[in-house]
């Protein structure tokens, strides 16, 4: 690591001041993405602002027909939380399948959403369910929030404070893990919401997206076997060390069918 | 020579005495050693795989905080290059061509991560910051990654005077005899396969801490290593760092090696020189990226093999042509692995009257390749066990049956490729493995899997390997630069504790337990009274290292030293008991004689040896210390048969190992629990090679693209089945313990077993490793299209 100043502010206001947009300070949450980057000397922020213990970023609560999860809640907390298990069981399972126990005990939903790794799990749930990302400055729908490969609308100094999901018991997340990293080679979050069937795909390569063609087919009474022929947005799939676009597209079909199958049982 | 040791420890699953400290975090690894006035080193490494260094300026680094010294090749003028320890001669009689490998590069770099300079500073971070400030200019040169490409006319040449990057073109066996056998064969099958390059991934990365004592002119190097004595000889004899008697290598607890901690690497030598320059202790601990880039890799062969058979499926001749990727330089044992560790094993468990192997070793812009768990033997088993299945398929023979028809049944057996197998019972292992696996019930299981949409396959593989290396005279004939015996000193202290100094060195094998088991039984004393001392050249006697399951060599030396103690005890007891020496027997820890009622327990004899007042000291020396050196008369030849069942999901190409049955024969076994652990580990690494692991370099840039756990697929527990293990026992006649060794076995037999099962499931001739889901999915697609 390069040398940096470590700060642990007591409030969000203090944190925002430290994350001065003109400086090069970086927020630190669970550190499961940031610390490996720092250790490998791939980033050299002058200041690291630890937001993981801010009480304003904590808490999991029900608000009407939504469940609101503080940005600093860990994957372990989300996976074990009775409210999440009740209101959005698929999300609890998703969180319980991230990394290993050490990663889950530190990594947070806010860090994951802010990072928008193209192979991360949470973004698919947020997009499929039209989650609202609450920040220190605004509330943004997931569809607008994620802007492709590691991209979000977050501005310098802006923090995610919570993620608000609608309740949904008819949803499932299936991850086809990359055999090396265990991130999603393809991950599919499928949900049957009041607004219709939703399918969000992560791992394809350029960031999470919805598979509209499949949603429409299923909405119009099609079955999972119709997914075989549903068109996929080819330019959303990449070829790399871990799989060709062709293979990823095949996985998208197989894994989507599996996820839909899990909802329907 | 092979009376199985008896007693209440040897051969039993005694819990590992060293585990208490490991489990409680009390192990002492090199990085735990912090010396007074400690400094830290960081390396400046080449970011390019092939480049000419045009500029090297350390001045900016020297101005950085905490920096003591920047060492470059200029500081090492006159110091020898890294030697390759094994001379191989090409078929035309010429010596292998060794590309000069300096400790620090100053002209050309030949793989990503090659060290160029070492920065010494007060802290590790200061050293790393300053390493980035060293200015190095490069002119990039074209690269070559693939071993076949390296010999091509357009390939960039890595070393002057080594055309086509060919280090040697070596042969073993009678080529004319093989050609004749193949010409007359009723059937011939041919197979081309790759053995994928692997990265060893010991849990503890490489590390060293070098301390120069200018007053005593003594150099101490703490180093995580499999062969501390070998390093002492090299550091003294090759590099002249200090006289051998003033050079101490300490390898404390070593967190895994798998062969990759046996070579002589540039970094540790550089750190030792740096310590002399700054006259303070200098420590370097590799980070994981350095480990990926620079720990010697394993395997990386491209092979074409042809097997000739008669009408009944009996093997007549095997012809093998291998290109072995050496990386940018010949590592310490690099030249040995694809020759005498490989071609000598091509007879497998079979009578094959004629065998010939040609091996061409080539340089490429990749990390040097050296021993990795099995080192040549897995590559050989993979060739043999794959082509046997290809032959079975071609002849319509069952894969178990074709092996049965060809097994060696009488021992000793002289193969056409150097080795004389000393013992074995191959068919018994096959029967045992087939029974464990319920081989005959497979068809029903396959049908049941098919009903679930899964393709189920079964694979059989039989391996034999050579362990317990010596004997030294044979090795010298094959080109070895050093003998390979081992030694042990047994010290019985006055108050009854026993120190066993051993020249071997455990890097996870559990020697602290197994050697103690042996000694406890031999002396009839409690195991707790014994302490094993290893890995410190100032304390332990000379040894030649731990690799290739050669604990049988070191333990034999211990046994012989124990027997010298027992014999001396008899001479002492003759005086204590007032009987003749030859009437005395030593049993269960007690000296007794038919000539008297008086008995002397071992401890009483030991006390008497030190008291030295009950026997004439001009006839019998006081004290009770004996040592022994053991040079084995032959290798040992562990063997086994593995039966694997897989299920493939044709929709995703995912291969699940659903059953794994193993029948191994390691001769006598010191501790079956430790052996099971070794098998579990070996099988896991072999399955890793078969399904997930592969070091991949970008062909355009020769950058390692699998340089972290994000991209390099390590095996994990959830991808493994419950292993069903069983053991046969034909004791080895090549050492007094009848042991054969078990460290590599699992990693040797499992890759072909898994691939055989996959080929069976898909009804195909061959697929290369690793059988990653996409590769298998594509095969399923092709099958669907057929
Ligand atoms: C071994 C391993 C396996 C993993 N496996 C998976 C997996 O299977 N699936 C998966 O989805 N993920 C996986 N991850 C990633 C893990 O989920 C991370 O926890 C997550 O991506 C980042 O969360 P964090 O809290 O650790 O964030 P940090 O690492 O602390 O931060 C990540 C980035 O987000 C920024 N940030 C953090 N918090 C906020 C905030 N509140 N507002 C704005 N910006 C913020 C930081 O500045 C930084 O740029 C794995 C990680 C590891 C190490």
């Amino acid at each position: 690591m390069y040398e940096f100043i470590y700060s642990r502010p007591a409030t969000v206001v203090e944190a925002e001041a430290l994350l001065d947009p003109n400086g090069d300070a970086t927020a630190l949450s669970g550190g499961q993405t940031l610390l490996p980057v720092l250790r490998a000397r791939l980033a050299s922020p002058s200041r690291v602002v630890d937001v993981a213990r801010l009480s304003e970023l904590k808490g999991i609560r029900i608000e009407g027909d939504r469940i609101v999860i503080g940005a600093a809640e860990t994957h372990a907390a989300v996976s074990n939380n009775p409210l999440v298990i009740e209101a959005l069981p698929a999300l609890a399972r998703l969180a319980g399948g991230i990394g290993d126990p050490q990663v889950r005990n530190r990594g947070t939903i806010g860090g994951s959403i802010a990072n928008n790794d193209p192979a991360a799990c949470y973004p698919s749930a947020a997009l499929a369910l039209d989650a609202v990302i609450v920040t220190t400055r605004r509330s943004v729908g997931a569809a607008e929030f994620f802007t492709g490969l590691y991209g979000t609308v977050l501005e310098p100094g802006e923090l995610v404070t919570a993620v608000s999901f609608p309740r949904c018991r008819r949803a499932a997340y299936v991850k086809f893990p990359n055999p090396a990293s265990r991130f999603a080679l393809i991950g599919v979050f499928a949900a049957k919401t009041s607004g219709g069937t939703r399918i969000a795909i992560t791992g394809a390569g350029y960031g999470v997206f919805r598979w509209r063609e499949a949603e429409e087919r299923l909405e119009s009474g099609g079955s999972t076997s119709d997914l075989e022929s549903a068109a996929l947005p080819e330019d959303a799939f990449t070829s790399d060390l871990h799989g060709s676009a062709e293979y990823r597209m095949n996985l998208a079909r197989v894994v989507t069918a599996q996820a839909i199958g899990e909802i329907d049982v | 020579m092979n009376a199985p040791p008896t007693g209440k420890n040897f051969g039993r699953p005694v819990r590992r005495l060293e585990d208490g400290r490991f489990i409680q975090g009390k192990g002492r690894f090199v990085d735990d050693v912090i010396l007074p006035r400690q400094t830290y080193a960081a390396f400046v490494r080449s970011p390019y795989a092939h480049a000419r260094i045009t500029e090297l300026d350390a001045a900016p680094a020297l101005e950085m905080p905490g920096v003591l010294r920047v060492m470059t090749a200029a500081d090492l003028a006159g110091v020898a290059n890294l030697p390759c320890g094994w001379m191989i001669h090409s078929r035309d009689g010429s010596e292998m061509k060794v590309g000069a490998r300096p400790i620090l590069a100053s002209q050309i770099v030949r793989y990503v991560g090659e060290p160029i300079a070492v920065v010494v500073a007060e802290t590790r971070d200061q050293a790393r910051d300053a390493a980035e400030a060293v200015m190095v200019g490069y002119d990039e040169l074209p690269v070559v990654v693939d071993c076949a490409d390296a010999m091509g006319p357009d390939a960039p040449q890595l070393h002057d005077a080594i055309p086509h990057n060919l280090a040697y073109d070596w042969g073993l066996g009678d080529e004319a005899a093989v050609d004749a056998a193949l010409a007359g064969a009723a059937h011939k099958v041919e197979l081309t396969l790759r053995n994928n390059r692997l990265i060893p991934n010991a849990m503890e990365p490489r590390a060293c801490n070098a301390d120069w004592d200018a007053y005593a002119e003594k150099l101490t190097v703490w180093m995580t290593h499999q062969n501390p004595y070998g390093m002492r000889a090299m550091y003294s004899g090759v590099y002249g760092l200090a006289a051998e008697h003033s050079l101490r290598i300490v390898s404390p607890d070593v967190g895994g090696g798998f062969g990759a901690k046996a070579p002589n690497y540039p970094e540790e030598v550089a750190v030792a020189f740096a310590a002399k320059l700054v006259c303070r202790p200098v420590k370097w601990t590799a980070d994981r990226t350095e480990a990926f880039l620079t720990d010697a890799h394993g395997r990386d062969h491209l092979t074409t093999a042809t097997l000739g058979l008669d009408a009944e499926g009996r093997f007549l001749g095997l012809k093998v042509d291998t290109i072995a990727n050496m990386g940018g330089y010949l590592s310490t044992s690099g030249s040995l692995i694809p020759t005498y560790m490989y071609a000598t094993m091509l007879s497998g468990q079979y009578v094959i009257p004629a065998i010939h192997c040609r091996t061409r070793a080539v340089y490429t812009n990749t990390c040097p390749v050296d021993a990795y768990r099995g080192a040549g033997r897995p590559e050989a088993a993979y060739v043999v066990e794959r082509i046997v299945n290809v032959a079975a398929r071609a002849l319509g023979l069952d894969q178990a049956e074709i092996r049965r028809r060809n097994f060696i049944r009488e021992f000793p057996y002289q193969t056409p490729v150097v080795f004389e197998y000393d013992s074995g019972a191959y068919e018994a292992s096959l029967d045992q493995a087939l029974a464990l696996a319920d081989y005959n019930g497979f068809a029903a299981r396959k049908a049941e899997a098919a009903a679930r949409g899964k393709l189920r396959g079964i694979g059989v593989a039989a391996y034999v390997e050579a362990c317990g290396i010596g004997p030294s005279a044979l090795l010298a004939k094959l080109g070895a630069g050093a003998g390979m015996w081992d030694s042990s000193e047994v010290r019985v202290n006055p108050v009854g504790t026993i120190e066993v100094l051993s020249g071997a060195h455990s890097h996870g094998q559990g020697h602290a337990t197994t050697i103690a088991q042996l000694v406890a039984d031999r002396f009839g004393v409690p195991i707790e009274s014994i302490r094993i001392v290893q890995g410190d050249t100032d304390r332990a006697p000379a040894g030649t290292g731990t690799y290739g399951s050669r604990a049988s060599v070191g333990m034999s030396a211990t046994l012989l030293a124990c027997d010298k103690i027992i014999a001396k005890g008899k001479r002492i007891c003759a005086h204590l008991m007032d009987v003749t020496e030859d009437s005395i027997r030593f049993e269960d820890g007690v000296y007794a004689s038919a000539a008297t009622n008086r008995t002397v327990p071992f401890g009483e004899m030991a006390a008497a040896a030190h008291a030295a007042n009950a026997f004439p000291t001009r006839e019998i020396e006081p004290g009770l210390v004996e040592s022994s050196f053991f040079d084995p008369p032959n290798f040992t030849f562990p063997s086994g048969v593995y039966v694997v069942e897989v299920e493939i999901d044709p929709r995703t190409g995912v291969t699940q190992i659903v059953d794994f049955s193993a029948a191994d024969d390691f001769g006598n076994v010191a501790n079956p629990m430790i052996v099971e652990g070794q098998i579990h580990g070996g099988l896991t690494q072999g399955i890793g090679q078969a399904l997930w692991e592969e070091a991949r370099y970008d062909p355009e840039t020769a950058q390692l693209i699998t340089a972290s756990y994000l991209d390099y697929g390590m095996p994990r527990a959830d991808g493994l089945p419950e292993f069903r293990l069983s053991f046969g026992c034909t004791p080895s006649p090549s050492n007094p313990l009848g042991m054969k060794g078990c460290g590599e076995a699992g990693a040797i037999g499992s890759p072909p077993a898994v691939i055989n099962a996959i080929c069976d499931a898909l009804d195909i001739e061959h697929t290369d490793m690793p059988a990653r889901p996409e590769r298998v999915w594509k095969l399923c697609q092709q099958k669907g299209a057929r």
Side-chain angles (χ1 to χ4, degrees):
Chain A
M1 286 189 194
Y2 297 105
E3 210 167 270
F4 55 78
I5 300 166
Y6 170 82
S7 310
R8 201 164 84 210
T11 65
V12 165
V13 173
E14 271 180 51
E16 284 188 283
L18 289 164
L19 287 165
D20 166 17
N22 302 317
D24 64 349
T26 301
L28 170 72
S29 190
Q32 296 306 293
T33 296
L34 186 59
L35 288 186
V37 168
L38 293 180
R39 242 186 12 233
R41 298 185 153 231
L42 297 171
S44 53
S46 58
R47 184 189 294 275
V48 167
V49 182
D50 189 345
V51 300
R53 285 182 245 190
L54 290 175
S55 56
E56 295 140 287
L57 268 55
K58 291 277 199 186
I60 299 178
R61 56 196 178 272
I62 299 287
E63 286 180 6
D65 61 355
R66 302 189 75 87
I67 179 156
V68 181
I69 302 174
E73 290 296 339
T74 64
H75 308 328
V78 172
S79 73
N80 295 324
N81 184 278
L83 297 177
V84 181
I85 292 169
E86 213 296 303
L88 191 47
L91 194 75
R93 279 202 298 276
L94 175 150
I98 293 175
D100 48 47
Q102 290 91 327
V103 169
R104 293 196 287 275
N105 283 332
R106 293 214 73 104
T108 64
I109 186 170
S112 179
I113 293 285
N115 195 47
N116 193 20
D117 186 307
C121 301
Y122 270 126
S124 65
L127 185 65
L129 295 169
D130 272 335
V132 174
I133 319 297
V134 185
T135 79
T136 42
R137 298 179 194 166
R138 54 192 158 151
S139 290
V140 194
E144 189 190 333
F145 183 84
F146 298 117
T147 59
L149 205 64
Y150 296 104
T152 69
V153 297
L154 287 174
E155 288 165 359
E158 183 176 8
L159 284 175
V160 175
T161 56
V163 186
S164 162
F165 293 92
R167 277 172 181 272
C168 180
R169 290 193 53 83
R170 300 194 65 208
Y173 177 69
V174 176
K175 171 163 77 170
F176 184 92
N178 172 328
S181 70
R182 301 293 174 98
F183 275 71
L185 190 54
I186 284 290
V188 174
F189 197 98
K192 299 211 167 159
T193 70
S194 50
T197 301
R198 295 301 194 81
I199 293 166
I201 297 181
T202 186
Y206 303 107
V208 63
F209 66 91
R210 272 171 62 189
W211 185 10
R212 307 255 178 195
E213 172 92 13
E215 291 178 357
E216 279 157 26
R217 291 220 183 173
L218 293 168
E219 268 312 289
S220 55
S223 74
T224 51
S225 55
D226 292 306
L227 297 176
E228 295 287 327
S229 58
L232 277 160
E234 286 190 22
D235 53 4
F237 291 84
T238 191
S239 289
D240 64 16
L241 176 64
H242 301 294
S244 65
E246 182 198 5
Y247 181 59
R248 282 185 157 93
M249 287 167 71
N250 169 65
L251 287 181
R253 293 179 199 283
V254 173
V255 175
T256 301
Q258 239 174 295
I260 295 290
E262 283 190 20
I263 300 177
D264 286 342
V265 291
Chain B
M1 216 181 164
N2 56 0
T6 53
K8 54 181 195 279
N9 292 290
F10 197 88
R12 314 230 167 165
V14 174
R15 290 232 192 146
R16 301 202 336 160
L17 303 173
E18 55 269 70
D19 280 349
R21 74 170 186 271
F22 289 142
I23 289 166
Q24 297 173 65
K26 292 180 188 161
R28 179 179 294 156
F29 300 88
V30 168
D31 195 55
D32 295 321
V33 176
I34 300 168
L35 300 171
R37 306 177 67 239
Q38 184 72 61
T39 70
Y40 296 84
F43 282 90
V44 177
R45 297 181 179 281
S46 172
Y48 299 109
H50 200 192
R52 185 178 306 284
I53 297 173
T54 56
E55 185 200 347
L56 178 52
D57 181 6
L62 287 168
E63 283 161 26
M64 309 256 309
V67 174
L68 298 167
R69 182 94 195 199
V70 178
M71 191 178 87
T72 65
D75 296 297
L76 298 173
V79 176
N81 290 324
L82 273 76
C84 177
W86 207 287
M87 174 50 71
I88 297 297
H89 289 86
S90 285
R91 298 195 292 171
D92 63 9
S94 63
E95 291 193 345
M96 67 183 184
K97 298 190 176 71
V98 182
R101 185 186 192 186
I103 297 167
L104 296 171
S106 60
Q107 290 166 12
I108 306 258
V109 285
R110 295 181 177 86
Y111 64 95
V112 172
E114 184 169 358
I116 294 168
V118 55
V119 178
V120 181
E122 297 287 347
T123 72
R124 189 173 148 99
D125 281 325
Q126 286 172 337
R128 296 191 142 209
D129 287 346
E132 287 176 11
V134 173
M135 298 278 299
V136 190
Y138 300 93
D139 265 351
E140 277 189 76
L141 297 167
V143 301
V144 61
V145 165
D146 182 85
C147 58
D149 295 347
M151 293 190 303
D154 303 328
Q157 185 173 322
L158 269 71
H159 298 277
D160 289 345
I162 308 187
H164 308 299
N165 298 307
L166 189 63
Y168 55 76
D169 179 349
W170 171 90
L172 183 71
D174 184 341
E175 191 168 15
V178 176
D179 287 341
L182 292 177
H187 303 280
K188 249 187 332 190
V189 288
E190 189 183 294
L191 175 66
T192 295
L193 50 75
R194 274 184 191 276
N195 203 294
N196 40 326
R197 178 183 279 243
L198 303 175
I199 299 178
N201 283 300
M203 205 180 284
E204 180 205 18
R206 278 195 289 135
C208 65
N209 194 350
D211 187 10
W212 171 245
D213 178 341
Y215 167 75
E217 298 197 329
K218 175 160 182 168
L219 180 70
T220 300
V221 186
W222 297 74
M223 186 188 329
T224 174
H225 208 273
Q226 294 172 227
N227 187 3
Y229 263 96
M231 289 307 101
R232 190 178 78 158
M234 285 228 185
Y235 280 28
S236 177
V238 175
Y239 308 112
L241 275 155
E244 210 166 0
H245 56 52
S246 298
L247 221 164
R248 177 184 179 204
I249 306 277
V250 192
S251 296
D253 287 330
V254 175
F258 308 118
K261 285 183 186 161
N264 164 222
Y265 285 97
E267 286 87 353
E268 289 87 336
V269 182
V271 166
F273 274 105
K276 286 182 78 174
L277 285 180
V278 300
C279 279
R280 285 174 65 181
V282 181
K283 177 150 89 177
W284 167 71
T285 304
D287 65 22
R288 191 51 71 180
T289 305
E290 288 180 294
F292 270 101
L293 290 174
T294 70
D295 285 5
H297 291 179
R299 322 276 193 255
D300 204 345
H301 286 191
L302 174 62
T303 294
T304 298
T306 312
L307 179 69
L309 304 93
D310 71 12
E312 280 75 49
R314 274 185 291 271
F315 306 152
L316 300 174
L318 175 65
K319 188 162 186 175
V320 175
D321 188 340
T322 291
I323 307 172
N325 194 334
M326 297 284 97
Y329 302 94
L330 289 182
S331 182
T332 317
S333 300
S335 59
L336 164 70
I337 313 299
T339 51
Y340 290 110
M341 297 298 288
Y342 165 70
T344 50
M345 297 314 310
L346 286 169
S347 195
Q349 296 192 350
Y350 313 111
V351 175
I352 308 179
I355 299 175
H356 182 264
C357 179
R358 175 189 192 190
T359 300
R360 283 167 289 176
V362 299
Y363 295 102
T364 65
N365 295 110
T366 60
C367 177
V369 173
D370 205 307
Y372 171 64
R373 203 165 192 167
R377 294 158 290 184
E379 294 91 316
Y382 189 60
V383 171
V384 174
E385 292 306 292
R386 279 275 48 244
I387 200 164
V388 164
N389 267 40
V390 170
R393 182 179 150 88
L395 272 66
L397 277 175
D398 174 79
Q399 53 182 323
E401 175 58 25
I402 194 170
R403 289 177 167 81
R404 215 181 274 286
R405 287 188 194 178
N406 287 282
F407 279 143
I408 295 163
R409 288 160 199 278
E410 275 165 34
F411 297 89
Y413 175 81
Q414 177 64 54
T415 73
V417 278
V418 179
F419 283 141
E420 183 186 274
Y421 295 170
D422 61 3
S423 59
Y426 302 151
E427 190 165 26
S429 293
L430 177 71
D431 287 336
Q432 174 123 27
L434 295 179
L436 260 186
D438 180 25
Y439 191 70
N440 295 331
F442 174 70
R445 294 193 293 279
K446 186 177 177 75
E448 184 276 331
R452 287 183 281 112
K454 297 284 172 65
L455 305 170
R456 192 159 173 135
I458 192 162
V460 177
Y463 74 89
V464 58
E465 60 152 331
C467 287
I469 194 169
S472 299
L474 171 65
L475 300 180
K477 261 191 241 156
L478 305 183
M484 291 187 197
W485 34 265
D486 237 294
S487 83
S488 187
E489 180 176 308
V490 177
R491 298 181 182 170
V492 183
N493 297 323
V495 193
T497 61
I498 297 161
E499 283 165 281
V500 180
L501 293 79
S502 155
H505 188 44
S506 179
H507 49 285
Q509 293 84 352
H511 292 179
T513 307
T514 50
I515 299 176
Q517 286 177 263
L518 171 67
V519 175
D521 282 2
R522 208 64 178 179
F523 290 158
V525 298
I527 196 166
E528 295 75 24
S529 65
I530 299 159
R531 169 153 270 182
I532 310 303
V533 179
Q534 293 188 321
D536 179 344
T537 60
D538 269 10
R539 289 208 66 202
T544 60
T546 294
Y547 39 82
S549 289
R550 55 194 309 281
S552 58
V553 181
M555 286 178 73
S556 294
T558 302
L559 180 81
L560 298 177
C562 287
D563 289 352
K564 288 184 187 173
I565 296 268
I566 291 169
K568 181 170 181 180
K570 280 187 186 166
R571 291 198 284 140
I572 292 170
C573 286
H575 291 276
L576 300 180
M577 295 156 68
D578 205 13
V579 296
T580 58
E581 187 188 331
D582 57 12
S583 77
I584 299 177
R585 284 167 292 112
F586 180 66
E587 252 166 44
D588 296 331
V590 177
Y591 289 94
S593 163
T596 172
N597 288 338
R598 168 113 156 83
T599 57
V600 178
F602 182 79
E604 190 182 327
M605 179 280 293
H610 287 90
N613 53 18
F615 53 84
T617 53
R618 270 190 298 174
E619 256 173 54
I620 305 175
E621 291 175 14
L624 207 48
V625 177
E626 295 289 351
S627 67
S628 181
F629 283 65
F630 180 70
D631 189 46
N634 192 0
F635 286 74
T636 63
F637 297 93
S639 61
V641 176
Y642 297 154
V643 180
V644 176
E645 277 182 51
V646 299
E647 277 187 13
I648 292 168
D649 183 342
R651 297 169 310 156
T652 59
V654 170
T655 300
Q656 186 79 35
I657 297 179
V658 291
D659 199 63
F660 200 114
S661 305
D664 289 295
D665 177 357
F666 302 133
N668 294 331
V669 156
N671 185 322
M673 181 194 71
I674 290 179
V675 168
E676 284 188 17
Q678 288 285 328
I679 296 309
H680 286 173
L683 292 177
T684 298
Q685 279 176 309
I687 290 170
Q689 168 165 33
L691 294 183
W692 305 293
E693 293 189 51
E694 184 175 34
R696 286 170 76 177
Y697 283 90
D698 183 301
E700 307 295 322
T701 61
Q703 292 287 333
L704 182 65
I705 49 180
T706 52
S708 84
Y709 294 125
L710 280 174
D711 297 317
Y712 187 85
M714 291 292 281
R716 305 196 195 198
D718 66 356
L720 303 171
E722 278 295 323
F723 296 119
R724 280 194 266 189
L725 308 184
S726 67
F727 300 95
C729 178
T730 59
S732 169
S734 305
N735 62 69
L737 291 162
M739 304 201 318
K740 295 187 171 180
C742 66
E744 293 75 26
I748 295 172
S750 56
V754 171
I755 298 298
N756 284 349
I758 290 173
C759 291
D760 181 60
L762 298 175
D763 190 17
I764 55 171
E765 186 164 276
H766 180 68
T767 181
D768 274 329
M769 302 186 287
R772 267 185 261 106
E774 177 164 12
R775 181 173 268 162
V776 174
W777 174 71
K778 286 197 169 135
L779 291 166
C780 294
Q781 298 288 104
Q782 288 163 15
K783 190 175 140 76
R786 275 206 306 266

